[in-house]
Amino acid sequence: MPRFTVHIRDEWLTVPCRDTTNTIQWLGLEALKRYVKNKPDNGGIKAVKDTRFVVRRCQSLGLLDADDTIEDVLEDNDFVELAIEGDTMSPDFIPCEPGVSHLTAAYKESGEYISLDGNSLTSTDLVNLGRGLYKIKLTPDAERKVVQSRELLDTIVKENKVVYGITTGFGKFARTVIPVSKLKELQENLVRSHSAGVGNPLSPERTRMLLALRINVLAKGHSGISLETLHAMIQAFNASCLSFVPEKGTVGASGDLAPLSHLALGLMGEGKMWSPKSGWADAKYVLEAHGLKPISLKPKEGLALINGTQMITSLGAEAVERAHAIARQADIIAALTLEVLKGTTKAFDSDIHTLRPHPGQIEVAQRFRSLLDSDHHPSQIAESHRFCDRVQDAYTMRCCPQVHGITNDTIKFVQNIINTEINSATDNPMVFAERGETISGGNFHGEYPAKALDFLAIGVHELASISERRIERLCNPSLSELPAFLVNEGGLNSGFMIAHCTAAALVSENKVLCHPSSVDSLSTSAATEDHVSMGGWAARKALRVVEHVEQVLAIELLAACQGIEFLRPLRTTTPLEKVYELVRSVVKPWIKDRFMSPDIEAVHRLLLDQKVWNVAKPYIDKYQTEYIPESRPISPTAFSLESPPSPRKRVRHE
């Protein structure tokens, strides 16, 4: 029989429906009857039939017409919110903010799986799991290791051995031995008490990443989780039943205790959960709607679920993947700006960079050559100023390989640390089934990813810093030979004046965000945890820095394309024309002032989806794989001196 979960004030009510040709009005009245029945004072409602209300879907907050039939607008197990006239929306109800998640009610479960073994997951895989592109399953070898690890723990409990976190309290209470009869309560109390985070919840995508990463770590078989509990976590992930996880509250040692506790709390059927079907609702109802049961914790399992660096690492994985994507697109955008500002390609000559052979610098210079090399991609713009009187370009163009290059090398360094952390066992104590013992250690300390992500923020920020200066050159007529602020009828129109201000504001914010959080430490847990990493903030601010970099480069790309308009009918190189055409497919040229934010957002979306990279990549790949000879066009910046004349010749001349 179809049934629907209705939220009224502070209650969630399940309403069965034998006949789905009934109306939404009928569903609301049935829910109200059940609500009144459970309240001693009838909930302050005098007559159900006279109560005026509106009904919305929990997911997307779509308003439902009272006269529509249930079968036309709802599906079995849908969640709806009933708002009584005169009430404010219940503080218990957490709307899913528009634009926060791509996992909407239209979300379709993937049929593809990633097999987790605790050893081979990458940051790219993790981000794709967050986006809902894959489900999860365990490898047979991982299942075997998990079972062996659990068998050792069960033996410890049966033999009444005193082992930290299994038969003792935690932190300051590590010397307090807990009776066997209370070991389950010990683990449940741990999760409940440690669910003390604050702030906005992680987005569904980021919570999926967090859950997937915790599953991967547990799959290593050194945490003591039972296979039953691990399978329950996988089922919740595959159904996108995602706990309410506040973004603030971790100090990054002993692991990310507060966020992971909130993650575990929802799996226990407590607190709030989100799914594409329900939106935010009580965890027990969300699990029930998907045919799942709350997990029941066995000895050590609470500790196994919450002790580790998975929030730092999962957010760090997103940050480093986005940084990688924007860094290579930054080269394309800068190359387009160089064309518009009529710069020279001589600074990208391979011989220059061979003399300072940093991998990132060489890679960036090669990308510039592949996009700007005029022998292979003729540029009418380049030819128009071939014999101008300028000798060399400003640093913001000439030094792109050196500045962008270190960003690329930084990203690779951080990516290596994040990928190692993704496949590391980071809880405590560690269970070694083959040795028959558990060992307390410090793998939960988040210093590795914290330091790496602070470094990432500093490295990737420079892309925005140099981009903002190029935007200034595009907008400043004394530097660009283009109309002021890239618009006709200046004065009547302001053009890119404030878009440049926005870029400057974002770069200034990044300067503060780049202060390393991992240089700080505060002693916690009665000095038991007397040095911490502050890695949670390192990860969150790294993401903010990367987002700001994306937005600044979106503004530069818009400005460069606008600059092209003033150089027409001249054309740039083929790959850069393709980039221009991509931008113009979502943003029209700037003829006169208009609302600019949507344009910036549209181009930001192109960068997020890596469409700028995808357009240029075939040309970059062809240049790199076909070993096309490097062209070295004649230019005032590359001149040669003849041998000085002999004294005899000078005398004759005189």
Side-chain angles (χ1 to χ4, degrees):
M1 179 191 304
R3 60 180 181 174
F4 303 92
T5 304
V6 184
H7 188 236
I8 303 177
R9 293 175 176 167
D10 57 347
E11 298 285 347
W12 288 92
L13 304 158
T14 300
V15 180
C17 180
R18 294 183 183 276
D19 184 3
T20 55
T21 61
N22 285 325
T23 65
I24 294 297
Q25 179 73 14
W26 174 89
L27 178 64
L29 290 172
E30 285 296 308
L32 278 172
K33 289 176 185 176
R34 287 166 170 74
Y35 175 77
V36 168
K37 187 177 179 181
N38 292 331
K39 298 292 181 182
D41 61 349
N42 293 332
I45 296 173
K46 296 179 179 179
V48 169
K49 62 183 178 61
D50 296 330
T51 303
R52 297 170 65 86
F53 57 84
V54 294
V55 180
R56 298 178 183 271
R57 293 176 65 99
C58 286
Q59 175 62 36
S60 80
L61 301 183
L63 188 64
L64 300 174
D65 191 303
D67 296 328
D68 280 344
T69 62
I70 292 172
E71 64 185 359
D72 286 340
V73 293
L74 295 177
E75 296 180 8
D76 186 20
N77 277 333
D78 262 351
F79 286 64
V80 296
E81 166 85 356
L82 187 150
I84 299 171
E85 188 177 84
D87 284 359
T88 56
M89 184 170 278
S90 166
D92 243 5
F93 179 69
I94 308 159
C96 183
E97 296 178 24
V100 167
S101 175
H102 298 295
L103 303 175
T104 62
Y107 163 72
K108 295 181 180 179
E109 291 186 4
S110 172
E112 295 186 53
Y113 285 81
I114 285 183
S115 296
L116 298 186
D117 58 7
N119 300 306
S120 54
L121 192 66
T122 67
S123 56
T124 304
D125 294 333
L126 187 57
V127 169
N128 286 334
L129 284 166
R131 291 172 179 164
L133 301 183
Y134 301 100
K135 290 184 178 180
I136 284 175
K137 62 181 178 181
L138 297 178
T139 64
D141 188 52
E143 291 188 340
R144 179 183 58 79
K145 290 179 180 179
V146 168
V147 169
Q148 290 176 344
S149 174
R150 187 65 214 177
E151 287 174 349
L152 175 59
L153 281 186
D154 290 341
T155 300
I156 289 172
V157 173
K158 287 177 183 177
E159 295 178 358
N160 291 318
K161 292 182 178 179
V162 178
V163 178
Y164 172 73
I166 303 173
T167 55
T168 74
F170 311 98
K172 186 70 174 177
F173 300 118
R175 297 182 181 180
T176 304
V177 179
I178 308 299
V180 173
S181 62
K182 295 197 173 184
L183 293 185
K184 182 177 186 297
E185 184 181 356
L186 170 70
Q187 300 300 317
E188 291 173 345
N189 286 346
L190 174 70
V191 173
R192 290 169 182 145
S193 66
H194 285 44
S195 296
V198 297
N200 294 325
L202 296 180
S203 69
E205 289 89 347
R206 290 174 181 170
T207 309
R208 274 180 66 94
M209 290 173 64
L210 181 63
L211 179 54
L213 185 52
R214 194 62 202 163
I215 291 169
N216 186 62
V217 169
L218 296 173
K220 291 184 74 71
H222 289 283
S223 302
I225 199 81
S226 68
L227 191 58
E228 177 188 0
T229 299
L230 190 52
H231 278 159
M233 294 174 69
I234 292 171
Q235 289 172 346
F237 176 88
N238 289 342
S240 282
C241 294
L242 308 171
S243 304
F244 182 100
V245 181
E247 63 180 2
K248 299 176 184 177
T250 176
V251 293
S254 171
D256 296 317
L257 291 172
L260 289 172
S261 294
H262 283 276
L263 186 73
L265 189 71
L267 297 170
M268 289 167 53
E270 301 179 24
K272 301 293 180 186
M273 261 190 160
W274 181 95
S275 80
K277 178 185 292 186
S278 67
W280 290 108
D282 286 358
K284 62 181 178 180
Y285 288 115
V286 176
L287 291 171
E288 184 181 336
H290 291 81
L292 303 176
K293 294 181 179 179
I295 59 175
S296 178
L297 298 180
K298 302 175 179 62
K300 209 271 186 184
E301 287 197 323
L303 192 57
L305 290 175
I306 73 170
N307 204 349
T309 61
Q310 281 65 58
M311 178 164 164
I312 305 171
T313 309
S314 60
L315 295 183
E318 181 187 344
V320 79
E321 286 294 310
R322 287 174 65 173
H324 174 65
I326 194 58
R328 56 190 186 180
Q329 293 178 109
D331 298 341
I332 300 166
I333 295 167
L336 184 58
T337 296
L338 182 137
E339 271 283 272
V340 173
L341 294 175
K342 298 181 179 180
T344 178
T345 61
K346 295 302 293 184
F348 313 123
D349 190 300
S350 60
D351 287 349
I352 293 176
H353 304 285
T354 301
L355 298 178
R356 195 192 193 196
H358 292 294
Q361 178 176 331
I362 290 173
E363 181 181 28
V364 172
Q366 189 178 50
R367 281 186 192 149
F368 271 74
R369 292 196 302 274
S370 69
L371 297 167
L372 294 167
D373 199 317
S374 59
D375 280 2
H376 313 295
H377 304 303
S379 167
Q380 294 173 342
I381 294 174
E383 290 303 319
S384 73
H385 63 90
R386 178 73 64 202
F387 299 101
C388 66
D389 58 358
R390 282 188 293 177
V391 175
Q392 59 187 12
D393 292 324
Y395 291 177
T396 49
M397 295 184 284
R398 193 185 349 151
C399 299
C400 281
Q402 292 79 4
V403 177
H404 290 203
I406 182 57
T407 299
N408 280 265
D409 288 343
T410 300
I411 291 167
K412 289 175 182 175
F413 169 78
V414 174
Q415 194 166 39
N416 182 58
I417 287 180
I418 292 296
N419 281 331
T420 299
E421 194 75 7
I422 282 172
N423 295 293
S424 297
T426 56
D427 55 318
N428 183 58
M430 306 304 304
V431 180
F432 294 92
E434 66 279 7
R435 290 170 55 173
E437 63 180 315
T438 63
I439 304 175
S440 289
N443 278 3
F444 51 73
H445 202 293
E447 201 71 20
Y448 259 101
K451 280 285 187 288
L453 292 169
D454 279 337
F455 189 18
L456 178 70
I458 293 169
V460 77
H461 157 69
E462 212 58 40
L463 295 177
S465 179
I466 197 170
S467 173
E468 183 274 329
R469 290 291 80 204
R470 290 193 298 263
I471 296 169
E472 156 70 7
R473 300 191 77 82
L474 287 165
C475 292
N476 188 334
S478 64
L479 300 174
S480 68
E481 301 177 5
L482 298 169
F485 305 112
L486 302 171
V487 70
N488 287 319
E489 296 187 83
L492 175 64
N493 294 307
S494 297
F496 279 70
M497 181 188 295
I498 303 304
H500 173 231
C501 289
T502 298
L506 293 172
V507 168
S508 185
E509 280 192 35
N510 276 0
K511 291 174 185 176
V512 177
L513 292 170
C514 284
H515 177 80
S517 66
S518 61
V519 299
D520 187 23
S521 177
L522 292 170
S523 180
T524 60
S525 193
T528 304
E529 299 162 3
D530 58 346
H531 182 275
V532 298
S533 72
M534 298 299 177
W537 176 226
R540 284 168 43 229
K541 71 183 183 63
L543 273 169
R544 286 176 62 183
V545 168
V546 171
E547 181 178 43
H548 291 168
V549 171
E550 293 164 348
Q551 291 165 335
V552 171
L553 282 158
I555 293 170
E556 183 186 355
L557 181 52
L558 268 174
C561 288
Q562 181 64 15
I564 289 277
E565 306 298 341
F566 296 103
L567 301 179
R568 292 302 193 208
L570 300 179
R571 297 177 66 82
T572 181
T573 65
T574 301
L576 294 180
E577 283 289 341
K578 294 293 184 183
V579 173
Y580 167 84
E581 290 168 8
L582 173 67
V583 173
R584 286 292 171 251
S585 71
V586 297
V587 176
K588 62 185 180 180
W590 195 271
I591 307 301
K592 61 180 182 178
D593 281 353
R594 64 173 186 262
F595 183 21
M596 183 173 275
S597 286
D599 291 356
I600 298 172
E601 179 55 37
V603 176
H604 184 201
R605 173 51 57 188
L606 292 179
L607 296 175
L608 285 173
D609 295 339
Q610 301 191 56
K611 289 185 178 180
V612 172
W613 172 253
N614 293 336
V615 162
K617 184 177 184 294
Y619 299 94
I620 295 171
D621 289 347
K622 183 177 181 180
Y623 185 88
Q624 294 176 350
T625 58
E626 294 188 4
Y627 303 103
I628 297 172
E630 185 175 340
S631 66
R632 293 186 167 99
I634 298 172
S635 166
T637 63
F639 55 87
S640 61
L641 295 173
E642 296 180 2
S643 300
S646 67
R648 182 177 300 174
K649 287 182 178 179
R650 285 204 300 269
V651 169
R652 284 178 186 169
H653 181 71
E654 292 169 359

